[in-house]
Structure formats: C-alpha cells, structure tokens
Amino acid sequence: MTTTLAPPPVGIGKAAVGALCLLAIATGALESVLTPTLPLLQRELALSPAQGALLSTALLISGALLLPVSGTLGDRYGGRRVMTRLMIVVLAGGLVSSLAPNLPVLLAGQILQGAMVGALPLSFILVRKHLPPGSAHTAIGVVSGMFVGGNLVGSMIAGPIAEGLSRHWMFAIPTLVIAVGTVLVHRLIPDDPPARSDARIDWPGLVLMSGALLTLMLVLPMVPEAGSRPLEFGALVLLLAGLVIGWIRVERRSAAPMVDLRLLARPGMWSSYAITFAVCLGTAASMYLVPQLFAVPADAYGFGASASDMGLYLLPSAVAAAVSGPIAGFAARRFGARTAVAAGIAGAVATLAALALLHGEVWHLVIGKVLISLASGICVTAVVVKTATTGDGGDTGTATSLILVTRVIGFTAGAQLGGILLTAMTPSGANIPDESAFIIGFGIASAVTALALLAVRTLNRGEEQ
C-alpha cells in the first residue's frame, strides 16, 4: 500500500478543539433525544411496540453500517472534507425528523441521522494530524467525553422540549447546533491532506462489509426467539457466515481494501477490539439489568421505581460516563493506555461482582452503576486513544471506526444477553424473574469483562506514548 509524505499540517488551537467538542455534544444530543420520548412518539404517531422498537434501532443500525466507511474515507480524502459532507447528511436527517408527520418519514430521518456516528473517527483524524502526541491523547479523550455528555444533555432536554413545545423541536434544536458546529469546524480547522494515496473505493468489500454488519444487527435481536423461529434464525446465521467469509476473501485480494486485514492482525490492534467487545458486553448487560431491577415491585425484591424515579437514579451514572472521557485521555497520557485500560477493567469487574452480592438497597445500584460507567468509560476511551495514536496516522479513521463498531456490537450483544437471561428465569405465569437471574447476570457480566484482562498485555506493542 502506498503512502504519501504530505507536508506537516498546520496546528490548531483550543478554539478548534472546542468546535469539535461542540459538534460532539450536539450530535450526542440528537442521537439520544429519541429514547426518553419514545412512549410520547408512540402515542402521537399511533405506533405499535414493534414499530417503536424499529424506530429506536434505525439510527444505531445505519450508524454501524457507515462507521467503517466514514473512517476509511477520512483517511483517504482528509478528515475535514469528509466530516463536512457527512454533517450535511446529518443536517438533512435532523430536518426530516423535525418535520416528520408519520413513521416512514421519521424512519428516513433517523437513518440519515445515523451518519453522525462517523463524526468521532473523523474528529480523531483531525486531532491526530493537527496536535502533538501528548495533546492529542487529551483532546481525543475530551471529544469522546463530550459526545457522551451530549447523550446526557439530549436525554435531559428531550422530554421538557417535546412536552413544552412539540416533538418537532426536540430534533430541530440539536440540528441547529450541529449546523453551527459544522461551520466552526470548517472555518477553524485547516484542510488536512489525505494520508493515503490509494483513493479508489473498494466497492465489493464495502458492500460485503455493510451486508455482514446489517445481518449481524438482525441476528442479535432474534437470539431470544431462536428456538421458536429456527429456520429464519439459521438462515440468517448462514448468510452472516457467508458474507464474512466473502468479505475476508475480497479484502485479502484487493489492491486497495476498505479495511486492511493486516491492520487487524497486529497484536496491539486485535487486542483493542477484543477488549472493547468484552468490556462493552459486560457493561451493556449491567445497563440492562439495573433498570429492570429498579422496576421490580417493592413487595417482591425490587424498588417499584417509576420512570421519573429511574431517570433520577441513573443520572449520576450518566454524569460519570461523561467525565470518563477526559479522565481517560489524561490517564493515557500520564500513565500509558495499558495502565488506564487495566485499571478500568479491574474496576468494572470488581463492581459487577459486588452487585451480584449487594443489590438490596437503591444506593447499592446507584453507586454500582456510577462505578461501572466510570470504569468502562475510562477503559474504552483509553483503548480508542491508544488506537488513534498508534502508527503513522494513515489508518487512524479506519482503526478507530472499527473500535466504535465493535462497541456497538458489544452493547447490542450485552443487552440481548440480559434480556435472554431474565426471560429464561421468569417462572411460568409470573410477571417478574427470579432474583437469582440478576445475581447470575451480574456474575456473568463480571466474568466476561474479566476476560479482557487476557488481552491487555499486548496493548503496548506498537503504542506511541
């Protein structure tokens, strides 16, 4: 693969990093406004539960499909150029969602909004190219944290805006902020030359990779129903296997692959993906189990929490997730990514194991959720920082976008694991699962997360500190 030795790009200041942070907050907010207002949308648009579930996953699926593409195109054509065009798609999606009169139009808007997830790997490309290594560590952590903080902002403002103004404005306001952030990024960040000269697009690889990711996102929600729909489930699994095998063969033979498989074979890279998957799976299982335990009636073994109560209980963990990014960036710079990742994994494992034993009081769950969000956030962000600052920068977008795709897959698999466990351990005719389901669930989440420690020792191979 050929690389071009472009002249060093112009450095950027705090205002430019602030513009990237503003864009991260706005996109994070637009991504999260749907979740707390889904019951309202179901009432206003007369949606069935199945249609509501489809609406809640449309952005996630389209984002997962686009992530590897956006990162690779950023490497090939320059981060700022691709980000500007990507944000135009997001702005169109926000506009469509804000004006949507029915489900099909709103679905179209959500699919277009899915392009927003590509902003993170593109931000990492720009930070890597325009800042020295030490500053880049911190800036990547801050931008990642601001995206999570945007999720928190969106979750907090969506309900009041939808009820005080209308559902249209909860999409329109973040979209306007994204427009401002896009203009600032375009004006404050100089154009970055492409890091790679092989500008051809590997269309067969792109089609096969997108098909494999889409099929995987269809397979995971079907796992709980696999026994009742064996033919459909089996057909999708076979299709997924065929697409993955075909994609690997195409990428190995391509002169300019969409994803260079030699990149995935490096010890410092494959370990990043393994750690991300294990930690996100364990974290997502707990993220699913904790609210379910809050909602169990108080006359059983739960707390009978209402939706408002639950939002209050989960708010501290959302704050912890938001601050984990900057902490991880600082820790990776000061102590090295390997140390930060190991500390995050150890904290998550210990907390999940403790929750399996101690979950009889509200404060047990609140503090446990805070510690899990903080530990897993530090771990995953430190992995992203390590991945984004390893090598010569020519594959920054591709490598980090694959990390984010792995995170999506891990979270989806973890949530499905929690759902399967509670369903399987709910007695016939009962409305709530046995308490042992939560004990086993937290225990499994702790064990899966602990497996990530096996890959930590390879993280320093090729790492720039």
Side-chain angles (χ1 to χ4, degrees), residues 195-212:
R196 292 162 58 175
S197 60
D198 50 341
R200 291 175 298 168
I201 297 178
D202 173 26
W203 290 110
L206 173 60
V207 171
L208 287 169
M209 180 176 62
S210 299

Side-chain angles (χ1 to χ4, degrees), residues 118-207:
L120 274 180
L122 294 172
S123 297
F124 301 153
I125 291 174
L126 294 173
V127 167
R128 177 79 191 276
K129 288 183 177 180
H130 293 291
L131 289 175
S135 300
H137 281 76
T138 303
I140 290 171
V142 170
V143 172
S144 299
M146 291 303 101
F147 182 79
V148 178
N151 285 161
L152 172 61
V153 170
S155 299
M156 292 177 62
I157 68 173
I161 290 177
E163 294 174 350
L165 297 174
S166 72
R167 62 178 173 85
H168 305 286
W169 281 104
M170 72 180 188
F171 296 111
I173 292 175
T175 300
L176 292 174
V177 181
I178 289 175
V180 174
T182 302
V183 171
L184 290 175
V185 167
H186 185 76
R187 292 178 64 88
L188 295 175
I189 298 181
D191 198 15
D192 55 312
R196 292 162 58 175
S197 60
D198 50 341
R200 291 175 298 168
I201 297 178
D202 173 26
W203 290 110
L206 173 60
V207 171

Side-chain angles (χ1 to χ4, degrees), residues 188-416:
L188 295 175
I189 298 181
D191 198 15
D192 55 312
R196 292 162 58 175
S197 60
D198 50 341
R200 291 175 298 168
I201 297 178
D202 173 26
W203 290 110
L206 173 60
V207 171
L208 287 169
M209 180 176 62
S210 299
L213 286 172
L214 179 59
T215 305
L216 178 63
M217 298 302 287
L218 293 175
V219 166
L220 290 175
M222 282 189 64
V223 171
E225 304 174 358
S228 60
R229 303 165 64 183
L231 293 180
E232 296 176 42
F233 182 75
L236 282 175
V237 170
L238 290 176
L239 175 60
L240 176 61
L243 289 169
V244 171
I245 293 171
W247 175 69
I248 291 173
R249 289 182 176 177
V250 166
E251 295 301 89
R252 294 178 67 177
R253 297 175 181 176
S254 175
M258 180 60 64
V259 176
D260 187 352
L261 296 181
R262 292 173 297 179
L263 176 70
L264 304 182
R266 298 174 191 168
M269 288 296 178
W270 69 254
S271 59
S272 297
Y273 302 120
I275 290 169
T276 300
F277 178 77
V279 171
C280 288
L281 191 152
T283 301
S286 68
M287 288 174 62
Y288 177 85
L289 292 173
V290 168
Q292 297 294 323
L293 186 51
F294 275 135
V296 171
D299 58 1
Y301 54 85
F303 308 97
S306 66
S308 298
D309 293 334
M310 208 171 299
L312 182 63
Y313 295 155
L314 296 178
L315 179 60
S317 64
V319 175
V323 302
S324 66
I327 293 174
F330 170 78
R333 178 180 181 180
R334 178 66 178 84
F335 305 106
R338 180 179 176 178
T339 301
V341 170
I345 295 172
V349 170
T351 305
L352 287 165
L355 281 177
L357 302 174
L358 294 174
H359 51 262
E361 302 289 342
V362 167
W363 67 269
H364 292 164
L365 297 178
V366 171
I367 293 179
K369 189 70 170 61
V370 167
L371 294 177
I372 291 170
S373 296
L374 186 62
S376 63
I378 289 174
C379 175
V380 174
T381 304
V383 169
V384 171
V385 169
K386 175 263 169 190
T387 304
T389 54
T390 296
D392 61 5
D395 291 303
T396 299
T398 303
T400 54
S401 63
L402 290 174
I403 287 286
L404 298 175
V405 170
T406 304
R407 182 164 64 177
V408 170
I409 295 172
F411 272 121
T412 304
Q416 292 299 321

Side-chain angles (χ1 to χ4, degrees), residues 90-118:
V90 176
L91 291 171
L95 180 63
V96 170
S97 294
S98 63
L99 298 175
N102 52 42
L103 176 62
V105 178
L106 186 53
L107 274 175
Q110 291 298 294
I111 291 171
L112 291 174
Q113 284 178 215
M116 72 175 65
V117 298

Side-chain angles (χ1 to χ4, degrees), residues 2-37:
T2 32
T3 56
T4 56
L5 296 176
V10 179
I12 57 175
K14 293 182 179 179
V17 176
L20 291 173
C21 289
L22 176 64
L23 200 57
I25 292 172
T27 53
L30 185 59
E31 180 189 63
S32 63
V33 295
L34 192 66
T35 301
T37 57

